Amino acid sequence: CSLSYATTTTTTTPTPSSPPKYYTLSGPYAMLPIQNSLCLQTLSSRVYRALQPFLRRPVLVPSWVASLPEPERSRAIYRCREYGSPNVGEGFVPHVSVGYDPPLEGAEENIGDWRAEVMDEWNEGHAAIQGECVDRVGAIAVGKT
């Protein structure tokens, strides 16, 4: 499968002073969105179906699923309980997680400030090579730690 970065969906049209974003900050996660393709969708489906027998049940539905509008929420809950994740099948959104920074207990929730600055710096460098950065998946390893 070929991998190439995707821009994030924004409500404004990119301009020279506001280039497209090649990252997403969601809760404690920093992610690089990847353009979806039939190859990636097929790979994802094969992996989650092969791993389905190894799920530890009951599967906990992530708390962020509650904030989804219906019928998205019900579909995400079904995928989570059936396949172990709300982000498989029709919920598959390919990405590479590049950071995880949960808030410290008792701390103010302003964790996004420094991450946005760091990711904006990365974004500036990536925007210059946006059409050139493509890679191929050679293998996927699944392990238990």
Side-chain angles (χ1 to χ4, degrees), residues 18-29:
S18 175
K21 296 241 185 254
Y22 293 92
Y23 70 87
T24 302
L25 297 177
S26 181
Y29 293 94

Side-chain angles (χ1 to χ4, degrees), residues 74-87:
S74 293
R75 290 178 185 145
I77 291 169
Y78 171 80
R79 289 189 305 271
C80 194
R81 290 185 176 152
E82 187 67 22
Y83 305 112
S85 171
N87 300 323

Side-chain angles (χ1 to χ4, degrees), residues 59-91:
V59 175
L60 297 176
V61 177
S63 60
W64 59 263
V65 171
S67 66
L68 296 174
E70 284 296 347
E72 252 183 277
R73 178 177 39 238
S74 293
R75 290 178 185 145
I77 291 169
Y78 171 80
R79 289 189 305 271
C80 194
R81 290 185 176 152
E82 187 67 22
Y83 305 112
S85 171
N87 300 323
V88 296
E90 68 183 35

Side-chain angles (χ1 to χ4, degrees), residues 21-122:
K21 296 241 185 254
Y22 293 92
Y23 70 87
T24 302
L25 297 177
S26 181
Y29 293 94
M31 300 171 283
L32 306 178
I34 303 296
Q35 290 179 359
N36 202 352
S37 67
L38 180 59
C39 181
L40 284 175
Q41 184 71 57
T42 301
L43 178 62
S44 171
S45 296
R46 287 182 179 173
V47 168
Y48 78 72
R49 285 189 180 117
L51 295 176
Q52 193 175 7
F54 302 103
L55 287 177
R56 182 178 297 164
R57 299 206 184 263
V59 175
L60 297 176
V61 177
S63 60
W64 59 263
V65 171
S67 66
L68 296 174
E70 284 296 347
E72 252 183 277
R73 178 177 39 238
S74 293
R75 290 178 185 145
I77 291 169
Y78 171 80
R79 289 189 305 271
C80 194
R81 290 185 176 152
E82 187 67 22
Y83 305 112
S85 171
N87 300 323
V88 296
E90 68 183 35
F92 178 63
V93 180
H95 67 276
V96 175
S97 294
V98 293
Y100 176 74
D101 186 31
L104 296 173
E105 197 172 309
E108 293 291 323
E109 287 212 30
N110 60 357
I111 61 171
D113 296 341
W114 74 270
R115 292 181 308 147
E117 291 175 20
V118 169
M119 293 308 295
D120 280 341
E121 285 182 38
W122 178 87

